[in-house]
Amino acid sequence: MRYSQNHKAQTHQRIIKEASVRFRRDGIGATGLQPLMKALNLTHGGFYAHFKSKDELVEKALQAASAELDAHCAALFSQERPLEAFIDSYLSEWHHTSPDQGCPLPTMSSELGQRGQQSPTTDTVLDARLKQIETALGSPSADEQSLVIMSTLVGALVLARSVENPQLATRILDVVRESLKTGVNTATADIKKAGQ
């Protein structure tokens, strides 16, 4: 039975979407192609009609996660207090417990880096967030501050997800969130004073 090009394109996107969820939730190494395809009611052999290798799928899935994140962050950075909204969202209970729907930096990108398989999509994801943070900061040292903020957010989320004690996880998120927001508010107040 032959399928239309449209059907093949839709199936291709379904595989990428499911892989993006599973790679962020379960890990790239732990996600086998056979269970992935079975979850979509597709055959394992059919995978190769869409992708040359698992590595190609990983990159496409990372790009899909990046596009989801771009849309989410566009909404956050359009708010009145964009950095606070971004920090609150990044270190939220939802993001802590929903790695399958969240930022790929602490999940997929971290695993790829650990394996020595750096991805240009990771650079794209990070650059996009850094630019948004820099714009929101609007200070002369915004490029350095944005790196510190983003690194702190990713690190705090990784730690909160990896500790066994739920109270400690919540404490990590709460303390880091409030510390970053205090720093941002102080920096903003300093910029306003300097401009007067």
Side-chain angles (χ1 to χ4, degrees):
M1 177 182 195
R2 294 191 58 116
Y3 291 106
S4 68
Q5 281 300 106
N6 187 40
H7 181 269
K8 185 173 180 179
Q10 288 175 346
T11 301
H12 188 83
Q13 289 306 312
R14 283 178 54 221
I15 296 169
I16 291 170
K17 185 174 182 181
E18 183 68 19
S20 177
V21 166
R22 287 174 178 250
F23 291 158
R24 284 180 283 173
R25 183 189 66 207
D26 304 329
I28 297 165
T31 301
L33 294 180
Q34 190 165 350
L36 169 68
M37 295 298 280
K38 188 175 182 182
L40 295 166
N41 293 319
L42 299 169
T43 64
H44 180 244
F47 173 84
Y48 295 99
H50 294 276
F51 305 97
K52 293 179 201 149
S53 65
K54 183 177 179 181
D55 287 344
E56 181 187 358
L57 175 60
V58 168
E59 191 63 25
K60 297 275 188 193
L62 185 54
Q63 291 167 359
S66 171
E68 285 177 25
L69 183 62
D70 286 345
H72 180 69
C73 288
L76 293 173
F77 279 95
S78 67
Q79 295 184 23
E80 188 177 328
R81 298 174 78 97
L83 264 182
E84 287 192 27
F86 178 63
I87 292 166
D88 282 341
S89 177
Y90 208 95
L91 296 181
S92 66
E93 184 61 26
W94 165 81
H95 201 200
H96 174 240
T97 58
S98 306
D100 58 316
Q101 300 170 48
C103 177
L105 294 177
T107 54
M108 294 177 71
S109 296
S110 175
E111 186 176 345
L112 289 170
Q114 186 179 28
R115 296 166 145 203
Q117 293 176 276
Q118 292 79 7
S119 164
T121 304
T122 296
D123 293 29
T124 302
V125 171
L126 183 57
D127 287 343
R129 297 302 75 78
L130 293 176
K131 284 186 177 99
Q132 287 173 316
I133 295 169
E134 287 169 25
T135 300
L137 284 169
S139 69
S141 62
D143 59 336
E144 292 176 4
Q145 287 177 295
S146 66
L147 267 174
V148 170
I149 290 169
M150 201 62 218
S151 299
T152 304
L153 288 169
V154 172
L157 190 60
V158 168
L159 280 176
R161 285 178 176 166
S162 64
V163 296
E164 182 182 29
N165 183 332
Q167 287 83 21
L168 179 56
T170 299
R171 187 165 173 251
I172 292 166
L173 297 174
D174 291 346
V175 168
V176 174
R177 184 187 324 105
E178 293 312 311
S179 176
L180 284 175
K181 286 166 52 176
T182 299
V184 165
N185 289 332
T186 301
T188 304
D190 290 346
I191 291 166
K192 283 182 182 172
K193 272 187 197 172
Q196 290 177 345

